[in-house]
Amino acid sequence: MPKTTVTYQPHLLDPHAAEPQPVSPADGKSFKLPELYRLLDCRLVDVVRLSDELILIIDDEGKFREPAYLNLLATYLWHQHHPAARGFDAIVGRAILCHDKQFR
């Protein structure tokens, strides 16, 4: 069976940037924890599933940072896919939007 290639361009969603920034895994296939820690400037990541294929990789401890910066774009995307979270929770800090096969 041929291996399926994922062609989705991952993006870094930074609360301090006006536009999402394209990023790529170092090996060209999937992000590894050390590079995620560097890209997200964190020590612990969490995955927020948006759809069957798309995920947000976030700083799991982002809400405990001083100062904590609300990520409006990541929160908006999450709320679009999971309306029950609206008004109850938000994503804080950097996030990476990518295909679920790009994180192993």
Side-chain angles (χ1 to χ4, degrees), residues 6 8 15 20 30 33 39 59 62 66-67 72 81 92 94 100:
V6 176
Y8 186 81
S30 61
L33 284 175
L39 286 167
D59 176 358
E66 284 289 329
L72 293 173
H81 291 274
V92 176
R94 292 178 174 179
D100 69 345

Side-chain angles (χ1 to χ4, degrees), residues 26-91:
D27 68 2
K29 295 177 185 173
S30 61
F31 291 102
K32 306 298 184 263
L33 284 175
E35 66 188 307
L36 288 172
Y37 297 150
R38 182 183 52 78
L39 286 167
L40 298 177
D41 187 27
C42 70
R43 297 180 301 152
L44 187 62
V45 298
D46 196 6
V47 174
V48 176
R49 182 160 294 281
L50 298 179
S51 69
D52 289 342
E53 296 180 346
L54 291 179
I55 59 173
L56 285 170
I57 304 170
I58 65 170
D59 176 358
D60 192 49
E61 300 174 322
K63 293 176 186 168
F64 303 112
R65 289 184 170 226
E66 284 289 329
Y69 295 102
L70 177 64
N71 190 321
L72 293 173
L73 182 53
T75 299
Y76 173 80
L77 291 171
W78 181 38
H79 289 173
Q80 289 301 309
H81 291 274
H82 299 281
R86 290 181 190 154
F88 294 102
D89 206 355
I91 294 174

